[in-house]
Amino acid sequence: MARGLGKGINVFFPELETQEEEVVQHVSVKSCRPNPYQPRKTFQADAIEELKESILEFGILQPLIVRESIKGYEIVAGERRFRAAKEAGLETIPVIIKKLTDQKMMELALLENLQREDLTPIEEAQAYANLIKEFNLTQDDLAKKLGKSRPYIANLTRLLSLPPSISALINNGELSMGHGRAILGLKDKNKLQPLIDKIRKENLNVRQVEQLITQLNEKKPKQKKTEERKDVFITERESQLRDHLGTSVKIQKGKRKGKIEIEFFSDDDLDRILGLFE
């Protein structure tokens, strides 16, 4: 059965705490509708079926949180229980009615799913982007509110620039968030589909994909008598910067001075990277 919201939610939303005993009401299932800000777009049928069987045997142990609307009630937290209750044929469900703004509804729905690790990386990224856009938040504001690091928010939202076909592979678990971040570094988009085919066929891990993309991005060097081997120290620092900045980084070490090349793909991406140095 789905777990309750947990103590952590109230840390972010003290308005959910009450000095009085919560009033649990039973309302018609037909009068409820899903949270319009629900970040999770897919619900596993077997999980809903399992929850339905539990509800038929024990009932709904954790009331849903809803807010009143013109057409009835909007579900703030507990959509899986709502779906399972409908499957079980229940006419009414237990709820606690709260007065919440649109922003609080969106944040609460996101946090509930994050606590249960229900969201795919793409769904999570889209939820962050929606919060930032709808309520004029900065990545730093959102990171502090959700208890995440700013680089984490920035790197995750970059996944939204991936083609829909690749986003679908991440959503169904065939590719990871790390794969997606690495793929963003491919310069020649004509090589994208062959790259994806190779990743899936050979089951390449993230590090292997990063190395492969580095090779694909390299221009053919002029013939040299001897090829210099890159310093292990430089390679490690490139990897650290790449993970922190979420983009390709190249360090060139000369006799007197060196230079660092950091790739970006748009003005927004440049602003994101510069923000990480603040």
Side-chain angles (χ1 to χ4, degrees), residues 219-235:
K219 296 180 180 179
K220 292 183 179 180
K222 296 180 180 179
Q223 289 185 347
K224 295 182 179 180
K225 294 182 180 179
T226 58
E227 185 176 346
E228 296 182 359
R229 180 173 296 179
K230 184 170 288 189
D231 192 313
V232 174
F233 175 83
I234 298 297
T235 301

Side-chain angles (χ1 to χ4, degrees), residues 147-161:
K148 301 285 185 178
S149 71
R150 182 176 176 180
Y152 178 84
I153 299 287
N155 288 328
L156 198 66
T157 53
R158 288 186 66 231
L159 296 178
L160 298 178
S161 61

Side-chain angles (χ1 to χ4, degrees), residues 83-102:
R83 288 171 177 262
K86 288 178 64 177
E87 291 290 330
L90 269 61
E91 294 185 358
T92 63
I93 51 176
V95 303
I96 296 173
I97 302 173
K98 294 288 186 180
K99 293 182 179 180
L100 296 171
T101 64
D102 288 349

Side-chain angles (χ1 to χ4, degrees), residues 58-237:
F58 301 107
I60 298 179
L61 303 181
Q62 177 72 40
L64 287 70
I65 295 179
V66 302
R67 78 168 180 179
E68 206 161 359
S69 69
I70 298 176
K71 297 182 179 180
Y73 302 93
E74 292 177 338
I75 298 170
V76 180
E79 186 170 340
R80 281 192 299 186
R81 277 165 282 164
F82 167 69
R83 288 171 177 262
K86 288 178 64 177
E87 291 290 330
L90 269 61
E91 294 185 358
T92 63
I93 51 176
V95 303
I96 296 173
I97 302 173
K98 294 288 186 180
K99 293 182 179 180
L100 296 171
T101 64
D102 288 349
Q103 181 172 356
K104 291 302 181 185
M105 278 193 71
M106 187 180 290
E107 292 173 348
L108 183 55
L110 173 59
L111 281 169
E112 184 194 18
N113 282 288
L114 289 178
Q115 281 198 337
R116 295 185 176 125
E117 298 182 350
D118 282 332
L119 298 179
T120 69
I122 298 297
E123 289 174 337
E124 186 178 346
Q126 189 61 63
Y128 292 152
N130 289 343
L131 281 168
I132 290 170
K133 180 180 179 180
E134 292 292 331
F135 304 108
N136 197 28
L137 300 174
T138 65
Q139 290 184 345
D140 192 46
D141 292 336
L142 186 60
K144 291 177 181 177
K145 184 178 289 291
L146 300 181
K148 301 285 185 178
S149 71
R150 182 176 176 180
Y152 178 84
I153 299 287
N155 288 328
L156 198 66
T157 53
R158 288 186 66 231
L159 296 178
L160 298 178
S161 61
L162 288 168
S165 59
I166 297 178
S167 296
L169 293 176
I170 295 176
N171 273 333
N172 64 27
E174 290 188 58
L175 296 179
S176 69
M177 180 178 72
H179 284 110
R181 286 177 55 189
I183 291 168
L184 284 169
L186 182 66
K187 294 179 180 179
D188 187 352
K189 302 310 177 184
N190 292 323
K191 299 177 181 178
L192 186 55
Q193 192 56 53
L195 171 63
I196 297 302
D197 293 340
K198 184 176 179 65
I199 293 173
R200 300 175 69 187
K201 181 179 180 180
E202 300 181 18
N203 195 27
L204 301 181
N205 60 38
V206 174
R207 186 60 64 188
Q208 289 171 323
V209 173
E210 290 175 342
Q211 293 172 348
L212 180 56
I213 289 175
T214 297
Q215 295 172 8
L216 293 173
N217 286 342
E218 286 180 349
K219 296 180 180 179
K220 292 183 179 180
K222 296 180 180 179
Q223 289 185 347
K224 295 182 179 180
K225 294 182 180 179
T226 58
E227 185 176 346
E228 296 182 359
R229 180 173 296 179
K230 184 170 288 189
D231 192 313
V232 174
F233 175 83
I234 298 297
T235 301
E236 291 179 354
R237 294 303 178 271

